[in-house]
Amino acid sequence: MRILAIETSCDETGVAIVETWGSSTAPKTIKVLANTLVSQAVLHAEFGGVFPALARREHAKNIVPLVVHALKIARLAKKLKVERVLTKKEVFALAKILHKEPELFVQFKELLNSFKIPKVDAVAVTSGPGLEPALWVGINTAEALGALWGVPVIPVNHMEGHIVASLMNTTDDGKTFSLATPKYPSLALLISGGHTELILMPSKGKYKMLGQTRDDAVGEAFDKVARMLGLAYPGGPEISRLAEKAPAHQKLSVPLPRPMLKSGDFDFSFSGLKTSVLYAIKKFETLTDRDRELIAKDFEDSVTEVLLTKTLTAAKKYNVKEIILGGGVTANKKIRGAFREAVSKELSGTSLFIPDVHLSGDNGLMIGVAGLLRSKPKKHIIANGTLKLAKSVSPTLAELRKKKKM
Ligand code: KG4
Ligand code: ZN
């Protein structure tokens, strides 16, 4: 089974080609034929966050060239000796799928005119959650490829992709990797620019939401606090670098809060913490480099403490065999180190999975592997910006308010 995977949920355009043998839904070894990525981060930097219309435009500009590039790397791009002319039926099908992306239509025509249909068995694509205008570019590209190559299209939940990325173990050659078989019950902490979720996985493919953020996602808080401190987007790595400069023994004179630490549930909230940073900044008449370093360090410490405490409490309560961390924020050194240390000290029988740093952010590879595991094709995929992986065990605050009103 060979899958071409597409990721366009946020500000990274990712295309990967993966291959496995034998059972595709329980593979042990997966070969990476190509893994390509174009990041738009520098373009969004001046807005201090991802600007959806710009993300859409950039995905549309880059996606077809990236598909061709990935096919070339995988040695699957075979040029036709004589250019082919698309049939009327093909042109009609393409125009229908790409009616919202006319710029893609021309690029697709060139791709199909010049290259033989590659040996690919399916196309996988992120269908949500994420920015809908951005998701549509990936979905329409995947559907166009599916229709013209005559292969099924598999929708993939982006958050499931982040979980899978954590289970991937790159081998020495970097081109194949083994996939850990999760042991259940398992607990996933998903921390990214749009999500902060603690999810219980009682058995394969089953997800229960134990808690989530009530306001900002943790990555979003990193990005906003970075902006307050005059740092570039994405803020996570910048805060980390600044925090590392702070002397280990020195603390912020008035420490930042540890939000929801004692809330008695598994929900999170980072919006108040962000406001506390703003107050801390305002307190200084002139903010020195050392002040900024101490603020960054205490912010990172606060986030780490809250994430770790809640995850460990849930792991003990549900007696989980594994803890899986996923999402862009898992690239954070402090968080990685704190989880490793605490799990080995306090939960010696529990395994901890953290993605390789190069797989922690958004990428096409994790979508390809999640697509292999899922293998459930669908006709007419719809972008869903708020696609859920798991149902809440307890109602969220918004749901409770809605119920009260009824
Ligand atoms: O998963 P991801 O690549 O995209 C989304 O699905 O949102 O996560 C992006 C987020 C950004 O908010 C970014 O600031 C954060 O991950 N991030 C980090 C680090 N590297 C990336 N946060 C903290 N520390 C890092 N080293
Ligand atoms: Zn992500």
Side-chain angles (χ1 to χ4, degrees):
M1 176 91 163
R2 193 180 280 161
I3 286 192
L4 181 138
I6 295 174
E7 156 63 38
T8 63
S9 70
C10 194
D11 60 349
E12 322 276 355
T13 317
V15 176
I17 304 175
V18 292
E19 186 177 79
T20 190
W21 311 267
S23 163
S24 67
T25 48
K28 288 272 183 281
T29 311
I30 293 170
K31 193 168 178 187
V32 183
L33 300 182
N35 183 21
T36 59
L37 195 78
V38 175
S39 174
Q40 308 167 3
V42 277
L43 297 175
H44 294 283
E46 78 179 272
F47 302 100
V50 183
F51 188 55
L54 178 62
R56 194 210 88 91
R57 192 190 78 191
E58 289 300 305
H59 286 309
K61 192 171 92 189
N62 294 325
I63 188 74
V64 177
L66 210 55
V67 167
V68 174
H69 184 51
L71 288 171
K72 281 184 181 162
I73 293 173
R75 296 178 185 278
L76 294 170
K78 306 261 185 284
K79 273 239 173 201
L80 285 166
K81 286 204 177 86
V82 183
E83 279 213 354
R84 177 168 96 88
V85 179
L86 292 187
T87 64
K88 263 192 182 166
K89 206 175 149 194
E90 284 172 324
V91 171
F92 183 71
L94 203 57
K96 199 172 159 200
I97 296 170
L98 298 173
H99 72 279
K100 282 191 188 147
E101 276 95 22
E103 66 271 53
L104 282 184
F105 182 80
V106 181
Q107 298 183 33
F108 253 102
K109 258 179 82 182
E110 276 171 24
L111 166 73
L112 293 156
N113 285 344
S114 327
F115 293 98
K116 285 184 187 170
I117 291 180
K119 289 195 172 122
V120 164
D121 302 300
V123 177
V125 64
T126 304
S127 60
L131 303 168
E132 285 188 8
L135 288 165
W136 275 119
V137 177
I139 292 173
N140 290 334
T141 302
E143 291 206 336
L145 289 175
L148 293 155
W149 292 349
V151 295
V153 182
I154 304 165
V156 172
N157 184 309
H158 180 81
M159 302 318 285
E160 196 166 42
H162 276 306
I163 293 180
V164 169
S166 207
L167 302 174
M168 289 159 55
N169 251 324
T170 319
T171 51
D172 292 341
D173 68 356
K175 288 193 179 134
T176 42
F177 54 86
S178 58
L179 201 63
T181 316
K183 293 188 189 76
Y184 302 100
S186 221
L187 181 69
L189 173 71
L190 301 180
I191 40 178
S192 69
H195 291 79
T196 307
E197 298 179 339
L198 203 46
I199 292 175
L200 181 71
M201 297 184 281
S203 57
K204 191 178 174 190
K206 295 266 183 290
Y207 299 101
K208 275 187 182 178
M209 179 86 74
L210 298 182
Q212 59 191 313
T213 182
R214 294 186 181 177
D215 37 58
D216 290 354
V218 62
E220 192 182 352
F222 265 101
D223 295 336
K224 288 178 177 166
V225 166
R227 212 175 166 189
M228 291 177 197
L229 292 171
L231 302 168
Y233 171 85
E238 297 290 323
I239 297 246
S240 230
R241 267 193 285 277
L242 193 62
E244 269 179 20
K245 289 186 189 161
H249 59 272
Q250 205 175 335
K251 292 215 176 336
L252 201 61
S253 51
V254 183
L256 296 168
R258 272 49 183 162
M260 309 270 294
L261 193 64
K262 300 207 167 93
S263 63
D265 57 20
F266 296 116
D267 277 350
F268 303 91
S269 163
F270 295 106
S271 163
L273 179 60
K274 185 186 69 191
T275 315
S276 304
V277 170
L278 191 66
Y279 287 141
I281 293 173
K282 280 187 176 164
K283 238 183 249 163
F284 297 98
E285 246 169 51
T286 43
L287 197 67
T288 64
D289 284 349
R290 180 51 40 85
D291 300 332
R292 291 166 72 249
E293 290 161 13
L294 290 174
I295 292 174
K297 185 168 83 146
D298 202 40
F299 170 77
E300 203 176 49
D301 285 350
S302 166
V303 166
T304 307
E305 191 180 335
V306 173
L307 293 174
L308 184 61
T309 308
K310 298 230 171 194
T311 307
L312 290 193
T313 311
K316 287 172 192 162
K317 178 171 176 184
Y318 294 97
N319 215 357
V320 301
K321 297 203 172 85
E322 283 175 5
I323 296 175
I324 301 170
L325 305 190
V329 181
T330 62
N332 186 281
K333 253 196 221 164
K334 173 110 212 183
I335 295 175
R336 296 170 83 89
F339 269 83
R340 283 209 182 101
E341 196 186 324
V343 171
S344 75
K345 255 194 209 155
E346 291 185 42
L347 293 165
S348 54
T350 308
S351 326
L352 175 68
F353 290 89
I354 308 180
D356 276 0
V357 172
H358 76 280
L359 288 179
S360 64
D362 295 347
N363 62 83
L365 190 52
M366 68 184 198
I367 302 305
V369 179
L372 276 173
L373 299 176
R374 281 260 156 234
S375 271
K376 269 201 192 136
K378 205 171 167 188
K379 282 205 167 119
H380 309 305
I381 299 165
I382 305 227
N384 182 349
T386 57
L387 184 65
K388 295 266 178 289
L389 189 58
K391 279 211 177 106
S392 252
V393 172
S394 52
T396 62
L397 209 64
E399 282 164 351
L400 282 175
R401 282 198 192 119
K402 212 170 154 192
K403 254 191 187 169
K404 241 184 171 178
K405 274 187 197 157
M406 281 190 336

